Amino acid sequence: MTKQHELMVTAGSLQECSAYIDAGASELLIGDAIYGLRMPGALTEAEIREAVRMGQARHAKVIVSMTNVMTNDMLRLLTDYILFLKDAGVYAVEYSDPSVLAAVKTYAPSIRLHWNAEMMSTNYATANYWGRKGAVRVAAAKELNMDEILDLKRNLEIEAQIQVHGMTNIYHSKRKLVQSYMMHQGRPVLGGSLDKERGLFLVEADRAQEKFPIFEDTHGTHIMSSDDICILEDLHLLLQAGIDSLKIEGFMKPLGYNAAVVQAYRTAIDAYVMNPAGYQFREEWLDRIRELQDPQRELTFGFFYKEQVY
């Protein structure tokens, strides 16, 4: 037998939490409307409590996202929220701002800390620095290629988390850029929403076939990738490297699609763990995902095999 590899998926409702556990997820990443950033849905405190109870009863760990850009107003609510998460029995929190780390260490030291600074989580020295401050896991940047991921893992003193499936964020601003643009064009948004349900996207003049979803919420403007990462075919390379947590990003995807993705990755992980030496990828694991995949969004390896030029 090989080491345990966690399979994480983001969830936006209790229904999704239940479905993804049934499909094989061992970690659920959830969040609220204040501290969570780009989550599939915002859970209330009562729902977070229920998600934790569900996870504990069905052997899944609940992790709460707290990666939003922290403001002074948010700091004033931070202590009470951390105390709530402790009382609810949350397993871990994802953070980017040191204020969250400090609050958890002070008021809820039993909660594990996972450092997730999006595109800034690029090297083992910085990850190990946060490890010495109390973090037990780093969520690596999606921009890392395979060689960089392996080098990161070899030198880490803490756990490593890699996104293996789903869309990625490519731009974020606290400013309401779309709203500002429409006002400049003399077309103010009157009563309408610019959130992810609106279905807005950007298109470049020379790449009209690529559509980049764009939306605004209370946290600002978000631009998402035009394709979806899918590492299922080469998942064994990450398993061989000992990656601790494999993340499926369920953002802006229907429940049925995400459940099928979780099930496919669970099947592959279990097959590898049962017989690492004899493991072979099976095309049918990917067929169900392809059937459900949005035809306008290509499945790609992302940066997995791309040389980076810095």
Side-chain angles (χ1 to χ4, degrees), residues 9-46:
V9 62
T10 55
S13 68
L14 291 176
Q15 181 186 15
E16 290 184 0
C17 289
S18 182
Y20 300 157
I21 294 174
D22 284 345
S26 62
E27 293 183 337
L28 300 171
L29 180 62
I30 61 176
D32 74 341
I34 298 176
Y35 296 102
L37 186 65
R38 287 184 299 277
M39 299 302 296
L43 273 67
T44 64
E45 290 192 357

Side-chain angles (χ1 to χ4, degrees), residues 7 57 63 101 107 135 220 249 279:
L7 181 58
I63 301 165
L101 176 143
Y107 300 105
E249 178 53 77
Y279 173 86

Side-chain angles (χ1 to χ4, degrees), residues 9-10 20 248-251 253-263:
V9 62
T10 55
Y20 300 157
I248 294 168
E249 178 53 77
F251 187 65
K253 294 287 192 295
L255 184 154
Y257 175 88
N258 287 332
V261 171
V262 171
Q263 189 172 41

Side-chain angles (χ1 to χ4, degrees), residues 3-5 11-12 15 19 29 39 42 44 80 82 112 117-118 131-132 135 176 185 187 209 231 275 280 301:
K3 67 170 287 177
Q4 179 177 344
H5 304 273
Q15 181 186 15
L29 180 62
M39 299 302 296
T44 64
D80 286 344
I82 294 298
R112 289 165 51 101
E118 298 284 345
R132 291 187 288 274
K176 302 296 183 67
Q185 294 293 314
R187 295 181 294 171
Q209 74 282 4
I231 308 298
N275 183 12
Q280 287 188 329
F301 281 113

Side-chain angles (χ1 to χ4, degrees), residues 213-232:
I214 181 171
F215 66 95
E216 288 181 355
D217 56 20
T218 56
H219 305 311
T221 306
H222 314 264
I223 303 177
M224 310 302 293
S225 61
S226 62
D227 54 18
D228 291 320
I229 296 173
C230 179
I231 308 298
L232 185 60

Side-chain angles (χ1 to χ4, degrees), residues 41 143 165 186 216 240:
E143 291 79 8
H165 199 98
E216 288 181 355
Q240 289 171 359

